[in-house]
């Protein structure tokens, strides 16, 4: 099971994640960060989904060690990305046409995060917010 602990984020991403959640709340959104750190084994399992006859949709192009979720510092989880979903009526709203996705994306972008839901993202992945390059 991948982590959803904010403590497993990169030290520079932790305060941004807290600000993100607070701003979402201020905007009237209920948002769940459902993934922070993912181990190499968990990443490979996710990569296999939807490929070679495995059930489910393809959700990532990254193998173990290639995802910002796999990042470590001195062998400790320090994910450079988190995945978030808006909750509507207490339940995850996965329909990305729901307006809360755009509000959530704008809030993350305003904080300087790289939101993969933006139209110019190389691989669109609406829940994914990543620490931009430039942070060590
Ligand atoms: Zn992600």
């Amino acid at each position: 099971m991948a982590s959803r602990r904010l403590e497993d984020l990169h030290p520079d991403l932790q305060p941004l994640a807290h600000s993100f959640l607070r701003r979402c709340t201020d905007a009237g959104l209920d948002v769940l960060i459902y993934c922070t750190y993912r181990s190499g084994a968990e990443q490979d399992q996710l990569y296999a989904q939807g490929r070679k006859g495995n059930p489910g949709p393809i959700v990532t192009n990254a193998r173990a060690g290639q995802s910002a979720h796999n990042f470590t510092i001195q062998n400790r989880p320090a994910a450079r990305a988190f995945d978030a979903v808006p909750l509507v009526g207490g339940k995850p709203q996965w329909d990305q046409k729901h307006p809360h996705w755009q509000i959530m994306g704008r809030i993350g972008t305003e904080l300087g995060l790289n939101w993969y839901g933006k139209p110019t993202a190389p691989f669109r992945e609406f829940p994914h917010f990543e620490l931009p390059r430039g942070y060590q």
Side-chain angles (χ1 to χ4, degrees):
M1 219 21 212
S3 172
R4 53 175 63 173
R5 288 159 37 99
L6 298 190
E7 295 80 8
D8 288 341
L9 292 171
H10 187 285
D12 293 332
L13 185 52
Q14 289 182 32
L16 291 170
H18 284 288
S19 299
F20 172 79
L21 288 174
R22 195 169 52 243
R23 288 192 193 191
C24 285
T25 303
D26 289 348
L29 266 62
D30 192 9
V31 164
L32 172 70
I33 291 182
Y34 66 91
C35 176
T36 55
Y37 177 74
R38 217 183 277 135
S39 70
E42 287 161 344
Q43 186 66 39
D44 275 338
Q45 204 173 11
L46 197 66
Y47 181 84
Q49 181 182 311
R51 291 185 170 94
K52 297 191 175 168
N54 293 309
I58 288 179
V59 290
T60 183
N61 284 332
R63 296 169 185 267
Q66 294 176 340
S67 165
H69 292 285
N70 307 145
F71 200 75
T72 57
I73 295 175
Q74 294 174 338
N75 290 321
R76 303 204 47 188
R80 297 179 60 93
F82 60 77
D83 295 334
V85 60
L87 303 178
V88 178
K91 296 203 175 96
Q93 173 54 265
W94 294 108
D95 180 359
Q96 290 151 356
K97 290 188 206 70
H98 191 281
H100 284 188
W101 281 95
Q102 288 301 323
I103 300 169
M104 192 176 86
R106 194 185 65 227
I107 289 170
T109 305
E110 281 169 3
L111 286 165
L113 297 171
N114 202 353
W115 179 44
Y116 277 41
K118 68 184 177 203
T120 53
F123 178 76
R124 281 188 99 181
E125 196 190 332
F126 282 74
H128 188 90
F129 292 86
E130 190 166 320
L131 199 60
R133 297 188 191 284
Y135 289 91
Q136 291 305 302

